[in-house]
Each structure stands twice: as C-alpha cells, then as structure tokens.
Amino acid sequence: MPKVPIRRLLEGQTAIVTGASSGIGKAIAIELGKAGANVVVNYVSGPDKAEEVVASIEGEGSHAVAARADVSNEAEVQAMFAQAKAEFGTVDILVNNAGLQVDAPFADMTLAQWQKVIDVNLTGQFLCSREAVREFKARGVKPEVSCAAGKIICISSVHEVIPWAGHVNYATSKGGVMLMMKSIAQEVAPWRIRVNSIAPGAIRTPINTAAWDTPEHYAELLKLIPYKRIGEPNEIGRAAAWLASDDADYIHGITLFVDGGMTLYPGFETGG
Ligand code: BGC
C-alpha cells in the first residue's frame, strides 16, 4: 500500500455505509472515518462486529454510530436515515455496499435464491439511494461542507460487465446496479448530486474465501488477475474516500474499476 498520509478530505460530512460490519464495507467505513467523516455503520446482524468498527473509527478521532437495518426493507431504511439525521443533522454521503452471494447452478436456482440476491444487492441500493436523494435535494449545497449537495457511491463488481456462470442472480444484480446508478446520475445531476460506482475485482474478504484460502486456489485466481495479486479491502476504502471527496467533484456517472486488471480479458495475455 502507498505510504501517503490520509488527508481529512471529508471533515464535517456524514456518511452512511451499508453492510459495514465486515469485509469491504468495514474497510470503507474505517477509511471514511480516517478522512474525517462521521460514519453510520449499518449492519443487519452481529451488533458486536458493528460496534468494533464504531470503536475503531472513534479511535482515529471521528464520530461513528452503529445502525441496524435490512437494506431491502423500506421502513428499516427510512428509520436508519432518521437515526443518522437525529445523530449528525444530515447525510452527505451514501455508500451502497451491502451485498451477498447465494450461488447455484442455473437449472437448480430457486426463486428464493434469485429473489434474496436481487432484494439485497439491487432493491437495497434503490431504497437507500432514494432516501439519500430526498435528503440531498431537501438540504441543497452547503459550500462550506462540499461542492455537491450529496454523493452516492454504489459498490458494484467486475460482474457488472463480466458474465458469471453459476452466479446468475449475482451478476444480474450488479448489471442492474450499473444502469440504476447511471440513470439516477443523469436524473439528479442538476441538483449537484454526484452518483458513481466502484467495481471491485477479487478482494480478500469472507465472501470469496474459497478463491484464495489454499495455494492451489490462489494460483487459479491469479490467472484471472493481470496484476498478479488479490486486492485488499482498504484499497476499496481509499478509493471510496477519494471518490466521495471534492477532489473528485467532476466525476459523475462512472464505474471506477479497482480490480488489478481483471476486466482486461486476461485470457488474451497469451491467446487470440
Ligand atoms: C465477488 C467475489 C469474486 C469477485 C471477482 C466479486 O463481486 O463477490 O466473490 O471473487 O467478484 O470474481
């Protein structure tokens, strides 16, 4: 990792990070905290893990609070935004991170397996983004805080463009996130609301342990990554802190791939 000191680019701003008690969401919450933001650490189960993230952010000198909500539940999402506003006054940044995989061969995939992934990964991002846009529009730009009235970052995946056999529900949800993000971005830009995605490749988290937990699996994984290493969660966190900051103010409606080149068709290194 680069040894660049973190600037407190998000001082005075409040961020909600969904699915922030583990994996990529946890790293994003911690990096936004290091950048000076107040952080709402959303989780759906395991309050202890969320409280650990809160303690870590507070240890770095920023404020944080844990908020339980199932992002696919409209009332719970609205309650989480109300809690954030009661605690910190407003919300400036939403990171739509909560997501899961429920893998199955396509012919065996149940409707429940399909629906669960679409509900959390796609509908959850819709519900949270809608609440965020309502808040950003109602408040407007506060130039002393940020050039923008608000920022939304959708955590997508390389699988918004790479088809994924055995994971049809997951790839479908991420493809949906891509056009949802761009369509919201087009609609809300006049209110100075910035909307973008980050598409991680293979990042060392619990969601994909089977891809890196043995030397053999890791060697197979590296065939898919031109840069020849797995990514670490804080590499997504640092990208999110920068993308949410005014340093990225003219960046709107794009997907930032953070994937060591996974989307470069690595099979063509030697083939074709
Ligand atoms: C998935 C991981 C996978 C990675 C690269 C992510 O979106 O959640 O399981 O390792 O994409 O394929």
Side-chain angles (χ1 to χ4, degrees):
M1 283 302 294
K3 297 283 177 283
V4 183
I6 303 232
R7 289 182 293 146
R8 290 182 70 91
L9 289 170
L10 305 176
E11 196 77 60
Q13 301 191 46
T14 294
I16 294 180
V17 183
T18 66
S21 60
S22 72
I24 289 174
K26 173 179 176 178
I28 293 171
I30 288 171
E31 293 295 332
L32 297 192
K34 283 186 188 167
N38 308 316
V39 185
V40 177
V41 176
N42 162 257
Y43 69 99
V44 68
S45 62
D48 301 359
K49 288 199 292 167
E51 289 301 344
E52 279 170 27
V53 177
V54 167
S56 156
I57 294 168
E58 302 237 312
E60 298 275 349
S62 291
H63 299 296
V65 66
R68 205 211 75 86
D70 171 355
V71 295
S72 67
N73 181 306
E74 184 174 30
E76 292 184 21
V77 168
Q78 289 175 338
M80 173 173 68
F81 273 76
Q83 181 187 346
K85 285 194 277 178
E87 193 80 30
F88 298 119
T90 188
V91 176
D92 305 280
I93 298 160
L94 166 69
V95 183
N96 277 318
N97 169 79
L100 45 76
Q101 287 180 219
V102 185
D103 306 326
F106 184 62
D108 300 335
M109 188 174 285
T110 65
L111 179 58
Q113 290 172 322
W114 167 269
Q115 199 66 57
K116 179 74 181 167
V117 172
I118 299 297
D119 282 353
V120 174
N121 295 13
L122 185 56
T123 307
Q125 294 210 15
F126 156 69
L127 288 171
C128 293
S129 300
R130 191 186 60 178
E131 289 315 302
V133 164
R134 287 173 175 168
E135 173 64 11
F136 300 161
K137 275 187 168 182
R139 172 177 35 73
V141 178
K142 291 237 166 108
E144 67 280 14
V145 175
S146 173
C147 309
K151 282 84 58 157
I152 296 174
I153 298 175
C154 299
I155 302 303
S156 175
S157 165
V158 291
H159 299 295
E160 75 169 42
V161 292
I162 303 178
W164 205 13
H167 312 259
V168 170
N169 47 2
Y170 184 84
T172 303
S173 72
K174 296 301 186 180
V177 164
M178 192 255 289
L179 270 182
M180 182 190 72
M181 177 279 289
K182 287 178 189 279
S183 301
I184 299 171
Q186 195 185 58
E187 183 168 334
V188 303
W191 284 271
R192 286 281 160 88
I193 298 169
R194 280 201 302 118
V195 188
N196 292 288
S197 288
I198 293 175
I203 307 296
R204 192 193 309 274
T205 71
I207 209 172
N208 61 1
T209 311
W212 49 264
D213 62 349
T214 66
E216 294 72 32
H217 292 161
Y218 192 56
E220 278 304 306
L221 179 65
L222 293 193
K223 291 183 186 163
L224 300 174
I225 309 172
Y227 206 62
K228 299 301 172 209
R229 70 167 174 83
I230 195 168
E232 301 300 334
N234 64 358
E235 297 185 280
I236 305 300
R238 292 167 73 102
W242 171 76
L243 191 55
S245 79
D246 283 354
D247 278 5
D249 188 54
Y250 208 46
I251 298 179
H252 184 60
I254 61 113
T255 297
L256 175 62
F257 287 86
V258 183
D259 68 350
M262 191 176 242
T263 35
L264 295 175
Y265 297 96
F268 281 80
E269 249 174 63
T270 50

